[in-house]
Amino acid sequence: MADSVVRVGFVGCGGIAQQHFNALSQMDSVQLVAFCDVVAEKAQDAAQRFGGRAFTDVRAMLDSVELDALFFCLPPFAHGAEFLAVERGIPFFVEKPVGLDWGVIREIAAAVRAKNLLTSVGYMNRYRRGINRVRELLQIDPPILLLGGWVGRTPQARPGEGIWRWWIQKDKSGGQFHEQVTHTVDLVRYLAGEVVEVHAYAAKGLNRLAPEGYTIEDAIA
Ligand SMILES: NC(=O)c1ccc[n+]([C@@H]2O[C@H](COP(=O)([O-])OP(=O)(O)OC[C@H]3O[C@@H](n4cnc5c(N)ncnc54)[C@H](O)[C@@H]3O)[C@@H](O)[C@H]2O)c1
């Protein structure tokens, strides 16, 4: 164990959290000490695998366990507990997209800024060597046109795969642009600067295997 250990807690122990668990649990300088999920079994499963305690309520977790850092791995509609981290001055990582409610997102950002808190977002493409080489080149020779795209499958009905339930609902995920193409938007901002004007068109009807309750678009330009 390293001399200085960072005690990490998780809010949301679903799919992407597993990737972070696996990476962090291999670091000597990190100890996974607390796991929170509204589905108790998910938090308990993580606590069993990595040690630490399981919770279903974020406030109860923060009241009971001393943490140096928090990971928020929540679906877009479920954000807001970041305020509790800010109140307590706990630096945090949040998975993209950072939320769905523009008002809440702006308030969290303002609170983070006011506290000068260390935070990070899961826009991992920013950290790729190739992307940073492109960024350097574009600074020397600025582009006049940049084309970005995201080609992925649309969620289809698969029994037992709970993730689709929020992803296929526009009022929960924000739709494909917000949930997936956000990576492309982030890259455009990283490589070429802030957006000043937007035009958007959406299409539906491609996904013939759409599960019941599917309210998102299939393609967006
Ligand atoms: N950076 C990437 O490339 C990448 C990859 C996959 C997912 N993600 C993002 O990570 C986020 C989560 O995706 P996922 O695949 O892990 O979803 P998931 O549905 O598998 O997991 C989300 C977990 O959060 C829990 N949860 C929901 N509301 C909660 C609350 N209020 N408090 C505590 N727990 C709560 C759910 O029970 C679930 O276990 C999404 O925003 C997604 O876009 C990012």
Side-chain angles (χ1 to χ4, degrees), residues 11-18 20 36-39 42 56 58 72-79 81 93 95-97 122-124 150 162-163 166 179-180 182-183:
V11 182
C13 303
I16 194 63
Q18 308 301 317
H20 294 300
C36 175
D37 200 294
V38 285
V39 179
K42 292 195 183 186
T56 51
V58 187
F72 289 94
C73 297
L74 296 166
F77 71 92
H79 288 267
F93 169 92
E95 264 304 346
K96 50 55 60 177
Y123 285 113
M124 70 286 183
W150 179 277
I163 181 176
W166 61 260
E179 166 56 27
Q180 305 284 294
T182 184
H183 279 298

Side-chain angles (χ1 to χ4, degrees), residues 196-207:
V196 289
E197 202 176 336
V198 174
H199 303 267
Y201 298 92
K204 290 180 147 214
L206 170 81
N207 187 358

Side-chain angles (χ1 to χ4, degrees), residues 57-65 67 70 84-85 88 90:
D57 179 72
V58 187
R59 201 180 288 272
M61 177 171 89
L62 299 182
D63 285 343
S64 322
V65 184
L67 294 170
L70 266 167
L84 299 176
R88 292 163 201 240
I90 305 173

Side-chain angles (χ1 to χ4, degrees), residues 113-182:
R113 239 177 266 122
K115 264 257 166 98
N116 198 20
L117 199 62
L118 181 65
T119 55
S120 177
V121 184
Y123 285 113
M124 70 286 183
N125 294 316
R126 286 179 172 235
Y127 305 98
R128 297 192 196 285
R129 204 161 13 143
I131 293 294
N132 283 291
R133 180 75 184 121
V134 171
R135 193 166 188 243
E136 277 166 30
L137 294 172
L138 295 184
Q139 273 158 12
I140 299 164
D141 189 8
I144 59 160
L145 179 68
L146 205 66
L147 291 176
W150 179 277
V151 180
R153 66 184 174 144
T154 41
Q156 299 176 343
R158 281 161 184 240
E161 282 195 83
I163 181 176
W164 309 130
R165 297 306 344 153
W166 61 260
W167 190 0
I168 63 166
Q169 294 173 57
K170 179 109 171 157
D171 63 343
K172 295 227 164 25
S173 69
Q176 292 287 68
F177 195 89
H178 184 254
E179 166 56 27
Q180 305 284 294
V181 190
T182 184

